[in-house]
Amino acid sequence: MKMEIKVLIISLIFFVILYTVCRLLIDNGFVKNFTFGYLTTVLNFVLMSRKLRKVFSGDFNSYSLFGYVFRLSFILLLYVIWFQNQKVNIWGLLVGISLIPLTIPLVVIIDERRKTDGTST
């Protein structure tokens, strides 16, 4: 299975657990910003991993740079619209944004451990 899929599955598991706990214990603004931060990070991660796969396979051209700028501009536009139209809970947004970057090292460690000693996970 591709590494990106593993990262997305594990981060989704963490998201569902955190979402459920936060929904029960914390206010709705935190949950809404947490969900938005997570979804934008997933979108950014998926688009970035696709582009990196193409670049490392040798399919790099001048349009690759445009795709990079377009992806970042699109994510920026989403955040600008969100900040203008919603009440922002910065802690919820930061937790949502941080979920995938915290999952990546976990997946790499699990994958390397599996390769090294055959440990099932």
Side-chain angles (χ1 to χ4, degrees):
M1 187 180 332
K2 288 184 181 178
M3 190 70 79
E4 299 91 20
I5 303 297
K6 291 178 185 178
V7 168
L8 289 174
I9 289 171
I10 291 178
S11 72
L12 184 62
I13 292 168
F14 285 139
F15 172 75
V16 168
I17 292 169
L18 282 172
Y19 180 83
T20 305
V21 169
C22 291
R23 193 80 173 139
L24 296 173
L25 301 176
I26 303 177
D27 67 340
N28 195 29
F30 181 91
V31 174
K32 192 178 353 176
N33 283 279
F34 168 64
T35 305
F36 177 75
Y38 176 73
L39 292 176
T40 55
T41 307
V42 165
L43 176 67
N44 189 34
F45 179 74
V46 168
L47 294 175
M48 180 185 61
S49 63
R50 267 193 193 164
K51 185 62 70 177
L52 284 175
R53 286 247 182 231
K54 286 182 182 179
V55 167
F56 284 116
S57 70
D59 188 23
F60 184 77
N61 52 29
S62 60
Y63 295 113
S64 295
L65 183 60
F66 176 72
Y68 170 76
V69 172
F70 177 74
R71 176 179 54 86
L72 288 179
S73 300
F74 180 70
I75 297 296
L76 176 66
L77 181 66
L78 285 176
Y79 278 106
V80 167
I81 292 170
W82 184 260
F83 275 58
Q84 287 178 349
N85 297 324
Q86 299 293 324
K87 183 177 178 191
V88 176
N89 182 323
I90 196 67
W91 294 112
L93 200 58
L94 287 175
V95 170
I97 291 171
S98 302
L99 205 53
I100 289 206
L102 292 174
T103 306
I104 293 171
L106 179 66
V107 170
V108 170
I109 290 169
I110 290 171
D111 200 47
E112 286 301 314
R113 184 172 176 207
R114 180 181 286 166
K115 287 179 187 175
T116 314
D117 60 4
T119 305
S120 64
T121 51

